[in-house]
Amino acid sequence: MAAVEPPRRPQLHRGSAAAASASAAGEGTVARDDTTVGGDGGVAAFAVGAAGLTAAAAASIDGVPDVGSLNAGRKRFVIKIVEDYKMLTTAGSVTDEWLEKTLPKMYRAMDVWAGLQRRSEVPDKYSKGPQKAAKSFEKAAKSKDYAATLAAFQAYLDELPDAGPGGSGKINFDNPTMPLIGAAGPAIIGAS
């Protein structure tokens, strides 16, 4: 008696009508490439790849940022925040060039970093507070009031949580890629 091989599950190309009809007719498998969806977790891999998520973000696909998400965020966003803040304080005033070229990117980095502070799948007080402070910073900077801009930035730093699921949200100005060790940390550079 010959062994009967179980039928193979068809592998379908996304959007392929021929593949769908072959599958419905039970005609074996369809050739597979990197756009294949189905079978061995291809749907999840496709979804993560299509969203452009980093490996760290994929690790917290449930929506709650973890240590990997915050580490990736520090490398991508906190470094930008610190560099742009130092440019502002070095200039000693809110310049038109800084407003035009730097503020939009700095605000976006601040907003994203604030969003990474959430402790659940949806925004909460730990992310909404810093996001509101980032918006206030943007508004103060657009008014070109240097003192108000520095005060708004300090308010943003104060809103960042000391601890969370992914670690401290505070910004370390000495080494932006590392979390700030200690309770509140040093005052911002150039603040009076």
Side-chain angles (χ1 to χ4, degrees), residues 101-183:
K101 294 182 179 180
T102 307
L103 179 62
K105 293 176 185 177
M106 182 178 182
Y107 167 71
R108 182 179 183 289
M110 290 170 68
D111 188 54
V112 172
W113 182 245
L116 284 172
Q117 305 311 311
R118 69 185 184 281
R119 296 183 183 186
S120 66
E121 294 82 14
V122 296
D124 55 18
K125 69 179 183 177
Y126 300 103
S127 63
K128 286 182 180 179
Q131 284 177 321
K132 185 177 177 182
K135 192 68 174 167
S136 296
F137 169 77
E138 181 187 40
K139 185 177 179 181
K142 286 181 178 180
S143 74
K144 291 190 172 184
D145 183 345
Y146 183 69
T149 302
L150 292 181
F153 190 77
Q154 183 63 55
Y156 172 78
L157 293 178
D158 293 343
E159 283 288 334
L160 293 171
D162 290 325
S168 174
K170 298 291 185 184
I171 295 176
N172 183 346
F173 281 87
D174 295 327
N175 186 355
T177 60
M178 297 298 294
L180 187 62
I181 307 298

Side-chain angles (χ1 to χ4, degrees), residues 50-137:
L53 300 175
T54 64
S60 65
I61 201 100
D62 65 347
V64 180
D66 58 6
V67 173
S69 299
L70 262 65
N71 285 339
R74 284 186 192 286
K75 290 176 184 171
R76 186 165 180 191
F77 302 110
V78 174
I79 288 174
K80 181 75 178 146
I81 294 168
V82 171
E83 286 174 357
D84 293 349
Y85 177 75
K86 288 181 179 180
M87 285 175 53
L88 173 66
T89 57
T90 300
S93 66
V94 181
T95 64
D96 289 333
E97 182 181 359
W98 187 87
L99 273 176
E100 187 179 313
K101 294 182 179 180
T102 307
L103 179 62
K105 293 176 185 177
M106 182 178 182
Y107 167 71
R108 182 179 183 289
M110 290 170 68
D111 188 54
V112 172
W113 182 245
L116 284 172
Q117 305 311 311
R118 69 185 184 281
R119 296 183 183 186
S120 66
E121 294 82 14
V122 296
D124 55 18
K125 69 179 183 177
Y126 300 103
S127 63
K128 286 182 180 179
Q131 284 177 321
K132 185 177 177 182
K135 192 68 174 167
S136 296
F137 169 77

